[in-house]
Short mmCIF file of all heavy atoms in Angstrom, two decimals:
data_model
loop_
_atom_site.label_atom_id
_atom_site.label_comp_id
_atom_site.label_asym_id
_atom_site.label_seq_id
_atom_site.Cartn_x
_atom_site.Cartn_y
_atom_site.Cartn_z
N ILE A 137 0.85 -1.18 0.00
CA ILE A 137 0.00 0.00 0.00
C ILE A 137 0.88 1.23 0.00
O ILE A 137 1.93 1.26 0.65
CB ILE A 137 -0.97 0.00 1.21
CG1 ILE A 137 -1.98 1.14 1.11
CG2 ILE A 137 -0.20 0.06 2.53
CD1 ILE A 137 -3.11 1.04 2.13
N ASN A 138 0.45 2.25 -0.73
CA ASN A 138 1.14 3.53 -0.67
C ASN A 138 0.74 4.22 0.62
O ASN A 138 -0.45 4.36 0.92
CB ASN A 138 0.76 4.38 -1.89
CG ASN A 138 1.47 5.71 -1.92
OD1 ASN A 138 1.11 6.65 -1.23
ND2 ASN A 138 2.52 5.78 -2.73
N TRP A 139 1.73 4.65 1.40
CA TRP A 139 1.47 5.20 2.72
C TRP A 139 0.51 6.38 2.68
O TRP A 139 -0.40 6.48 3.50
CB TRP A 139 2.79 5.62 3.38
CG TRP A 139 2.62 6.10 4.77
CD1 TRP A 139 2.54 7.39 5.19
CD2 TRP A 139 2.51 5.29 5.95
NE1 TRP A 139 2.39 7.44 6.55
CE2 TRP A 139 2.37 6.17 7.04
CE3 TRP A 139 2.52 3.90 6.17
CZ2 TRP A 139 2.24 5.71 8.35
CZ3 TRP A 139 2.38 3.44 7.47
CH2 TRP A 139 2.25 4.34 8.54
N SER A 140 0.70 7.27 1.73
CA SER A 140 -0.12 8.47 1.66
C SER A 140 -1.33 8.32 0.74
O SER A 140 -2.43 8.76 1.08
CB SER A 140 0.72 9.66 1.19
OG SER A 140 1.73 9.97 2.13
N GLY A 141 -1.12 7.71 -0.42
CA GLY A 141 -2.18 7.66 -1.41
C GLY A 141 -3.18 6.53 -1.26
O GLY A 141 -4.32 6.64 -1.72
N GLY A 142 -2.76 5.42 -0.64
CA GLY A 142 -3.67 4.32 -0.38
C GLY A 142 -3.84 3.32 -1.51
O GLY A 142 -4.66 2.41 -1.39
N MET A 143 -3.10 3.45 -2.60
CA MET A 143 -3.16 2.46 -3.67
C MET A 143 -2.68 1.12 -3.13
O MET A 143 -1.66 1.05 -2.44
CB MET A 143 -2.30 2.90 -4.84
CG MET A 143 -2.40 2.00 -6.06
SD MET A 143 -3.93 2.25 -6.98
CE MET A 143 -3.59 3.86 -7.71
N THR A 144 -3.41 0.05 -3.45
CA THR A 144 -3.09 -1.26 -2.92
C THR A 144 -2.77 -2.25 -4.03
O THR A 144 -3.26 -2.13 -5.16
CB THR A 144 -4.23 -1.82 -2.06
OG1 THR A 144 -5.42 -1.92 -2.85
CG2 THR A 144 -4.50 -0.93 -0.87
N TYR A 145 -1.98 -3.26 -3.68
CA TYR A 145 -1.57 -4.31 -4.61
C TYR A 145 -1.55 -5.63 -3.85
O TYR A 145 -1.21 -5.67 -2.67
CB TYR A 145 -0.18 -4.02 -5.18
CG TYR A 145 -0.03 -2.66 -5.79
CD1 TYR A 145 0.36 -1.57 -5.01
CD2 TYR A 145 -0.27 -2.44 -7.14
CE1 TYR A 145 0.50 -0.31 -5.55
CE2 TYR A 145 -0.13 -1.18 -7.69
CZ TYR A 145 0.25 -0.12 -6.90
OH TYR A 145 0.39 1.13 -7.45
N TYR A 146 -1.89 -6.71 -4.54
CA TYR A 146 -1.92 -8.03 -3.93
C TYR A 146 -1.37 -9.08 -4.88
O TYR A 146 -1.54 -8.98 -6.10
CB TYR A 146 -3.34 -8.45 -3.56
CG TYR A 146 -4.03 -7.54 -2.58
CD1 TYR A 146 -4.82 -6.49 -3.01
CD2 TYR A 146 -3.89 -7.74 -1.20
CE1 TYR A 146 -5.45 -5.64 -2.11
CE2 TYR A 146 -4.52 -6.91 -0.30
CZ TYR A 146 -5.30 -5.86 -0.76
OH TYR A 146 -5.94 -5.04 0.15
N THR A 147 -0.73 -10.08 -4.32
CA THR A 147 -0.39 -11.23 -5.12
C THR A 147 -1.65 -12.04 -5.37
O THR A 147 -2.59 -12.02 -4.57
CB THR A 147 0.69 -12.09 -4.41
OG1 THR A 147 1.20 -13.06 -5.32
CG2 THR A 147 0.12 -12.79 -3.19
N ASP A 148 -1.70 -12.74 -6.49
CA ASP A 148 -2.93 -13.40 -6.91
C ASP A 148 -3.46 -14.40 -5.88
O ASP A 148 -4.67 -14.55 -5.71
CB ASP A 148 -2.72 -14.12 -8.24
CG ASP A 148 -2.62 -13.17 -9.41
OD1 ASP A 148 -3.02 -12.00 -9.28
OD2 ASP A 148 -2.15 -13.60 -10.49
N SER A 149 -2.58 -15.07 -5.18
CA SER A 149 -3.00 -16.13 -4.28
C SER A 149 -3.77 -15.64 -3.05
O SER A 149 -4.42 -16.43 -2.38
CB SER A 149 -1.80 -16.96 -3.82
OG SER A 149 -0.90 -16.18 -3.06
N VAL A 150 -3.71 -14.34 -2.76
CA VAL A 150 -4.40 -13.81 -1.58
C VAL A 150 -5.54 -12.87 -1.93
O VAL A 150 -6.25 -12.42 -1.03
CB VAL A 150 -3.43 -13.13 -0.60
CG1 VAL A 150 -2.27 -14.05 -0.27
CG2 VAL A 150 -2.93 -11.79 -1.16
N LYS A 151 -5.72 -12.56 -3.19
CA LYS A 151 -6.79 -11.65 -3.59
C LYS A 151 -8.15 -12.20 -3.16
O LYS A 151 -8.45 -13.38 -3.35
CB LYS A 151 -6.77 -11.43 -5.10
CG LYS A 151 -5.63 -10.56 -5.58
CD LYS A 151 -5.67 -10.36 -7.08
CE LYS A 151 -4.54 -9.48 -7.56
NZ LYS A 151 -4.53 -9.31 -9.02
N GLY A 152 -8.95 -11.34 -2.58
CA GLY A 152 -10.25 -11.74 -2.08
C GLY A 152 -10.24 -12.27 -0.67
O GLY A 152 -11.30 -12.44 -0.07
N ARG A 153 -9.06 -12.56 -0.13
CA ARG A 153 -8.94 -13.08 1.22
C ARG A 153 -8.21 -12.11 2.16
O ARG A 153 -8.55 -12.02 3.33
CB ARG A 153 -8.20 -14.42 1.23
CG ARG A 153 -8.90 -15.51 0.43
CD ARG A 153 -8.26 -16.86 0.66
NE ARG A 153 -6.86 -16.89 0.20
CZ ARG A 153 -5.82 -17.17 0.98
NH1 ARG A 153 -6.00 -17.44 2.26
NH2 ARG A 153 -4.60 -17.18 0.47
N PHE A 154 -7.19 -11.44 1.64
CA PHE A 154 -6.39 -10.52 2.45
C PHE A 154 -6.71 -9.08 2.08
O PHE A 154 -6.98 -8.77 0.92
CB PHE A 154 -4.90 -10.75 2.22
CG PHE A 154 -4.35 -12.05 2.75
CD1 PHE A 154 -5.19 -13.05 3.22
CD2 PHE A 154 -2.98 -12.26 2.77
CE1 PHE A 154 -4.68 -14.25 3.70
CE2 PHE A 154 -2.46 -13.45 3.25
CZ PHE A 154 -3.31 -14.45 3.71
N THR A 155 -6.62 -8.19 3.06
CA THR A 155 -6.82 -6.78 2.83
C THR A 155 -5.74 -5.99 3.56
O THR A 155 -5.57 -6.15 4.77
CB THR A 155 -8.19 -6.31 3.32
OG1 THR A 155 -9.23 -7.06 2.66
CG2 THR A 155 -8.39 -4.82 3.00
N ILE A 156 -5.03 -5.16 2.83
CA ILE A 156 -4.04 -4.28 3.45
C ILE A 156 -4.66 -2.91 3.64
O ILE A 156 -5.42 -2.43 2.79
CB ILE A 156 -2.75 -4.21 2.60
CG1 ILE A 156 -1.65 -3.44 3.35
CG2 ILE A 156 -3.01 -3.59 1.24
CD1 ILE A 156 -0.28 -3.53 2.68
N SER A 157 -4.37 -2.29 4.76
CA SER A 157 -4.91 -0.97 5.06
C SER A 157 -3.92 -0.20 5.91
O SER A 157 -2.92 -0.75 6.38
CB SER A 157 -6.27 -1.08 5.77
OG SER A 157 -6.15 -1.75 7.01
N ARG A 158 -4.22 1.06 6.11
CA ARG A 158 -3.32 1.91 6.88
C ARG A 158 -4.11 2.84 7.78
O ARG A 158 -5.27 3.17 7.52
CB ARG A 158 -2.45 2.75 5.93
CG ARG A 158 -3.27 3.58 4.95
CD ARG A 158 -2.40 4.51 4.12
NE ARG A 158 -3.14 5.07 2.99
CZ ARG A 158 -3.99 6.08 3.08
NH1 ARG A 158 -4.22 6.66 4.25
NH2 ARG A 158 -4.61 6.52 2.00
N ASP A 159 -3.46 3.27 8.84
CA ASP A 159 -3.98 4.29 9.74
C ASP A 159 -2.84 5.28 9.93
O ASP A 159 -1.96 5.07 10.76
CB ASP A 159 -4.44 3.70 11.06
CG ASP A 159 -5.12 4.72 11.96
OD1 ASP A 159 -4.88 5.93 11.80
OD2 ASP A 159 -5.90 4.30 12.84
N ASN A 160 -2.86 6.34 9.15
CA ASN A 160 -1.75 7.28 9.18
C ASN A 160 -1.60 7.96 10.54
O ASN A 160 -0.48 8.26 10.97
CB ASN A 160 -1.93 8.34 8.09
CG ASN A 160 -1.68 7.79 6.70
OD1 ASN A 160 -1.26 6.65 6.53
ND2 ASN A 160 -1.95 8.60 5.69
N ALA A 161 -2.71 8.20 11.22
CA ALA A 161 -2.66 8.84 12.53
C ALA A 161 -1.92 7.98 13.54
O ALA A 161 -1.29 8.51 14.47
CB ALA A 161 -4.06 9.17 13.02
N LYS A 162 -2.00 6.67 13.40
CA LYS A 162 -1.34 5.74 14.30
C LYS A 162 -0.02 5.21 13.75
O LYS A 162 0.63 4.40 14.40
CB LYS A 162 -2.25 4.57 14.63
CG LYS A 162 -3.51 4.96 15.38
CD LYS A 162 -4.36 3.74 15.71
CE LYS A 162 -5.59 4.12 16.50
NZ LYS A 162 -6.42 2.93 16.83
N ASN A 163 0.34 5.66 12.56
CA ASN A 163 1.57 5.19 11.91
C ASN A 163 1.62 3.67 11.84
O ASN A 163 2.65 3.05 12.13
CB ASN A 163 2.80 5.73 12.64
CG ASN A 163 2.87 7.24 12.63
OD1 ASN A 163 2.70 7.87 11.59
ND2 ASN A 163 3.12 7.83 13.79
N THR A 164 0.51 3.09 11.44
CA THR A 164 0.37 1.64 11.46
C THR A 164 -0.25 1.14 10.16
O THR A 164 -1.17 1.76 9.63
CB THR A 164 -0.48 1.19 12.65
OG1 THR A 164 0.13 1.63 13.87
CG2 THR A 164 -0.61 -0.32 12.68
N VAL A 165 0.27 0.03 9.67
CA VAL A 165 -0.28 -0.67 8.52
C VAL A 165 -0.78 -2.02 8.98
O VAL A 165 -0.16 -2.67 9.83
CB VAL A 165 0.78 -0.82 7.41
CG1 VAL A 165 0.25 -1.65 6.26
CG2 VAL A 165 1.21 0.55 6.91
N TYR A 166 -1.89 -2.47 8.41
CA TYR A 166 -2.52 -3.71 8.82
C TYR A 166 -2.63 -4.67 7.64
O TYR A 166 -2.70 -4.25 6.48
CB TYR A 166 -3.92 -3.47 9.37
CG TYR A 166 -3.97 -2.49 10.51
CD1 TYR A 166 -4.25 -1.14 10.28
CD2 TYR A 166 -3.73 -2.90 11.81
CE1 TYR A 166 -4.29 -0.24 11.33
CE2 TYR A 166 -3.77 -2.00 12.87
CZ TYR A 166 -4.06 -0.67 12.62
OH TYR A 166 -4.09 0.22 13.66
N LEU A 167 -2.66 -5.94 7.96
CA LEU A 167 -2.98 -6.96 6.99
C LEU A 167 -4.05 -7.85 7.59
O LEU A 167 -3.76 -8.65 8.49
CB LEU A 167 -1.75 -7.78 6.59
CG LEU A 167 -1.98 -8.80 5.48
CD1 LEU A 167 -2.26 -8.10 4.15
CD2 LEU A 167 -0.78 -9.73 5.35
N GLN A 168 -5.28 -7.69 7.13
CA GLN A 168 -6.37 -8.54 7.56
C GLN A 168 -6.38 -9.79 6.69
O GLN A 168 -6.47 -9.70 5.47
CB GLN A 168 -7.71 -7.81 7.43
CG GLN A 168 -8.92 -8.64 7.82
CD GLN A 168 -8.95 -8.98 9.28
OE1 GLN A 168 -8.72 -8.11 10.13
NE2 GLN A 168 -9.21 -10.24 9.61
N MET A 169 -6.28 -10.94 7.32
CA MET A 169 -6.18 -12.20 6.61
C MET A 169 -7.39 -13.06 6.99
O MET A 169 -7.55 -13.44 8.15
CB MET A 169 -4.88 -12.93 6.95
CG MET A 169 -3.64 -12.10 6.69
SD MET A 169 -2.11 -13.04 6.94
CE MET A 169 -2.22 -13.33 8.72
N ASN A 170 -8.22 -13.34 6.01
CA ASN A 170 -9.40 -14.17 6.20
C ASN A 170 -9.28 -15.45 5.38
O ASN A 170 -8.48 -15.54 4.46
CB ASN A 170 -10.66 -13.41 5.79
CG ASN A 170 -10.90 -12.17 6.59
OD1 ASN A 170 -10.60 -12.11 7.79
ND2 ASN A 170 -11.47 -11.14 5.95
N SER A 171 -10.11 -16.41 5.72
CA SER A 171 -10.14 -17.69 5.00
C SER A 171 -8.74 -18.27 4.85
O SER A 171 -8.32 -18.69 3.77
CB SER A 171 -10.80 -17.51 3.62
OG SER A 171 -12.11 -17.02 3.75
N LEU A 172 -8.02 -18.31 5.94
CA LEU A 172 -6.63 -18.75 5.90
C LEU A 172 -6.51 -20.21 5.52
O LEU A 172 -7.35 -21.04 5.88
CB LEU A 172 -5.97 -18.50 7.25
CG LEU A 172 -5.59 -17.04 7.50
CD1 LEU A 172 -5.34 -16.79 8.98
CD2 LEU A 172 -4.34 -16.67 6.69
N LYS A 173 -5.45 -20.50 4.79
CA LYS A 173 -5.16 -21.84 4.30
C LYS A 173 -3.81 -22.29 4.85
O LYS A 173 -2.95 -21.47 5.15
CB LYS A 173 -5.11 -21.85 2.77
CG LYS A 173 -6.37 -21.33 2.10
CD LYS A 173 -6.17 -21.26 0.59
CE LYS A 173 -7.41 -20.72 -0.09
NZ LYS A 173 -7.22 -20.63 -1.56
N PRO A 174 -3.59 -23.60 4.95
CA PRO A 174 -2.29 -24.08 5.42
C PRO A 174 -1.12 -23.53 4.62
O PRO A 174 -0.04 -23.29 5.19
CB PRO A 174 -2.40 -25.60 5.29
CG PRO A 174 -3.86 -25.87 5.47
CD PRO A 174 -4.55 -24.71 4.80
#
């Protein structure tokens, strides 16, 4: 993710399952991972 602009990119294997996001006020980036696989 671009820190300021918010443009996101994903590898094909995680599209639809993972979401990257940011909270600039907290200086923190997150990766929400759903439907996890081995």
Side-chain angles (χ1 to χ4, degrees):
I137 187 169
N138 182 281
W139 185 262
S140 296
M143 186 76 72
T144 59
Y145 308 88
Y146 299 93
T147 191
D148 287 344
S149 64
V150 308
K151 287 181 179 178
R153 299 189 297 121
F154 291 10
T155 303
I156 188 170
S157 62
R158 56 174 167 80
D159 186 337
N160 288 354
K162 296 182 178 180
N163 298 312
T164 301
V165 175
Y166 304 95
L167 185 68
Q168 178 67 46
M169 305 186 294
N170 299 326
S171 301
L172 283 162
K173 304 175 181 179

